[in-house]
Coordinates of all heavy atoms in Angstrom, one line a residue:
P1 N -1.0 60.4 -58.2 CA -0.6 61.6 -58.8 C -0.7 61.6 -60.4 O -0.6 60.6 -61.0 CB 0.9 61.7 -58.3 CG 1.0 60.8 -57.3 CD 0.1 59.7 -57.4
D2 N -1.0 62.8 -60.9 CA -1.1 63.0 -62.3 C 0.3 62.9 -63.0 O 1.3 63.3 -62.4 CB -1.7 64.4 -62.6 CG -2.0 64.6 -64.1 OD1 -2.9 64.1 -64.7 OD2 -1.1 65.3 -64.7
S3 N 0.3 62.3 -64.2 CA 1.6 62.1 -64.8 C 2.3 63.4 -65.3 O 3.5 63.5 -65.4 CB 1.5 61.1 -66.0 OG 0.5 61.7 -66.9
Y4 N 1.4 64.5 -65.6 CA 1.9 65.7 -66.1 C 2.1 66.7 -64.9 O 3.0 67.4 -64.9 CB 1.0 66.3 -67.1 CG 1.6 67.4 -67.9 CD1 2.5 67.1 -68.9 CD2 1.2 68.7 -67.6 CE1 3.0 68.2 -69.6 CE2 1.7 69.8 -68.3 CZ 2.7 69.5 -69.4 OH 3.2 70.6 -70.0
Y5 N 1.1 66.7 -64.0 CA 1.3 67.5 -62.8 C 1.3 66.6 -61.5 O 0.3 66.3 -61.0 CB 0.0 68.5 -62.6 CG -0.2 69.5 -63.8 CD1 -1.3 69.5 -64.6 CD2 0.8 70.4 -64.0 CE1 -1.4 70.3 -65.7 CE2 0.7 71.3 -65.1 CZ -0.4 71.2 -66.0 OH -0.5 72.0 -67.0
P6 N 2.5 66.2 -61.1 CA 2.6 65.2 -60.0 C 2.1 65.7 -58.7 O 1.9 65.0 -57.8 CB 4.0 65.0 -60.0 CG 4.8 66.1 -60.8 CD 3.8 66.5 -61.7
W7 N 2.0 67.1 -58.6 CA 1.4 67.8 -57.4 C -0.1 67.5 -57.3 O -0.7 67.9 -56.2 CB 1.9 69.1 -57.1 CG 1.9 69.9 -58.4 CD1 2.8 70.2 -59.4 CD2 0.7 70.5 -59.1 NE1 2.4 70.9 -60.4 CE2 1.0 71.1 -60.2 CE3 -0.7 70.6 -58.8 CZ2 0.2 71.8 -61.1 CZ3 -1.5 71.2 -59.6 CH2 -1.0 71.8 -60.7
M8 N -0.7 67.1 -58.3 CA -2.2 67.0 -58.2 C -2.6 65.5 -58.4 O -2.1 64.8 -59.2 CB -2.8 67.7 -59.4 CG -4.3 67.9 -59.5 SD -5.0 68.9 -60.6 CE -4.4 68.3 -62.1
G9 N -3.6 65.1 -57.5 CA -4.1 63.8 -57.6 C -5.2 63.7 -58.7 O -5.8 64.6 -59.1
T10 N -5.3 62.4 -59.2 CA -6.4 62.2 -60.2 C -7.3 61.2 -59.7 O -8.4 61.0 -60.3 CB -5.8 61.5 -61.4 OG1 -5.0 60.3 -61.1 CG2 -4.7 62.5 -62.0
G11 N -7.2 60.5 -58.6 CA -8.2 59.6 -58.0 C -8.4 58.4 -58.9 O -7.6 58.0 -59.7
Y12 N -9.6 57.8 -58.9 CA -10.0 56.7 -59.7 C -11.4 56.9 -60.4 O -12.1 55.9 -60.8 CB -10.1 55.4 -58.7 CG -8.8 55.0 -58.3 CD1 -8.5 55.4 -56.8 CD2 -7.8 54.4 -58.9 CE1 -7.2 55.1 -56.2 CE2 -6.6 54.2 -58.4 CZ -6.3 54.4 -57.0 OH -5.1 54.1 -56.5
R13 N -11.7 58.1 -60.6 CA -13.1 58.4 -61.3 C -13.1 57.7 -62.7 O -14.1 57.1 -63.0 CB -13.4 59.9 -61.3 CG -14.7 60.2 -62.0 CD -14.8 61.7 -61.9 NE -15.0 62.1 -60.5 CZ -15.0 63.4 -60.2 NH1 -14.9 64.4 -61.1 NH2 -15.2 63.8 -58.8
V14 N -12.0 57.9 -63.4 CA -12.0 57.4 -64.8 C -12.0 55.8 -64.7 O -12.7 55.0 -65.5 CB -10.8 57.9 -65.6 CG1 -10.7 57.2 -67.0 CG2 -10.9 59.4 -65.7
S15 N -11.2 55.2 -63.8 CA -11.1 53.8 -63.8 C -12.3 53.1 -63.3 O -12.6 51.9 -63.9 CB -9.8 53.5 -62.8 OG -8.7 54.0 -63.2
L16 N -13.0 53.7 -62.5 CA -14.3 53.0 -61.9 C -15.6 53.6 -62.4 O -16.7 53.1 -62.0 CB -14.3 53.4 -60.4 CG -13.1 52.6 -59.5 CD1 -13.3 53.0 -58.1 CD2 -13.3 51.0 -59.7
G17 N -15.5 54.6 -63.3 CA -16.8 55.3 -63.9 C -17.7 54.2 -64.5 O -18.8 54.1 -64.3
D18 N -17.1 53.5 -65.4 CA -17.9 52.4 -66.2 C -18.4 51.4 -65.3 O -19.6 50.9 -65.4 CB -17.1 51.9 -67.3 CG -16.9 52.8 -68.4 OD1 -17.6 53.8 -68.5 OD2 -15.9 52.6 -69.2
V19 N -17.5 50.9 -64.4 CA -17.9 49.9 -63.4 C -19.1 50.4 -62.6 O -20.0 49.6 -62.3 CB -16.8 49.3 -62.6 CG1 -17.2 48.3 -61.6 CG2 -15.7 48.9 -63.4
A20 N -19.0 51.6 -62.0 CA -20.0 52.0 -61.2 C -21.4 52.3 -61.9 O -22.5 51.9 -61.5 CB -19.7 53.4 -60.7
N21 N -21.3 52.6 -63.4 CA -22.5 52.6 -64.0 C -23.2 51.2 -64.3 O -24.4 51.1 -64.2 CB -22.3 53.2 -65.4 CG -23.5 53.5 -66.2 OD1 -24.5 54.1 -65.6 ND2 -23.6 53.0 -67.4
N22 N -22.3 50.2 -64.5 CA -22.8 48.8 -64.6 C -23.5 48.4 -63.3 O -24.5 47.7 -63.4 CB -21.6 47.9 -65.0 CG -21.1 48.1 -66.3 OD1 -21.7 48.7 -67.3 ND2 -19.9 47.6 -66.6
L23 N -22.9 48.6 -62.2 CA -23.5 48.2 -61.0 C -24.8 48.8 -60.7 O -25.8 48.3 -60.2 CB -22.5 48.3 -59.9 CG -21.3 47.5 -59.8 CD1 -20.3 48.0 -58.7 CD2 -21.7 46.1 -59.6
K24 N -24.9 50.1 -61.1 CA -26.2 50.9 -60.9 C -27.1 50.3 -61.7 O -28.4 50.2 -61.3 CB -25.9 52.3 -61.3 CG -27.2 53.3 -61.2 CD -26.9 54.7 -61.6 CE -28.1 55.5 -61.5 NZ -27.9 57.0 -61.8
L25 N -26.8 49.9 -63.1 CA -27.8 49.3 -64.0 C -28.2 47.9 -63.4 O -29.4 47.5 -63.6 CB -27.2 49.3 -65.4 CG -27.0 50.6 -66.1 CD1 -26.4 50.4 -67.4 CD2 -28.4 51.3 -66.3
A26 N -27.4 47.2 -63.0 CA -27.7 45.9 -62.5 C -28.6 45.9 -61.3 O -29.6 45.2 -61.2 CB -26.3 45.1 -62.1

């Protein structure tokens, strides 16, 4: 849940974005 809007999820796009890009480049 989002810290400001707890009724809305935020997922893990921000947390995993850089890692996903690194794995793609590798």
Side-chain angles (χ1 to χ4, degrees):
D2 183 81
S3 60
Y4 194 77
Y5 298 117
W7 39 262
M8 183 173 65
T10 60
Y12 295 103
R13 181 176 297 172
V14 175
S15 303
L16 292 175
D18 290 340
V19 180
N21 189 54
N22 292 342
L23 289 169
K24 180 181 179 180
L25 293 176

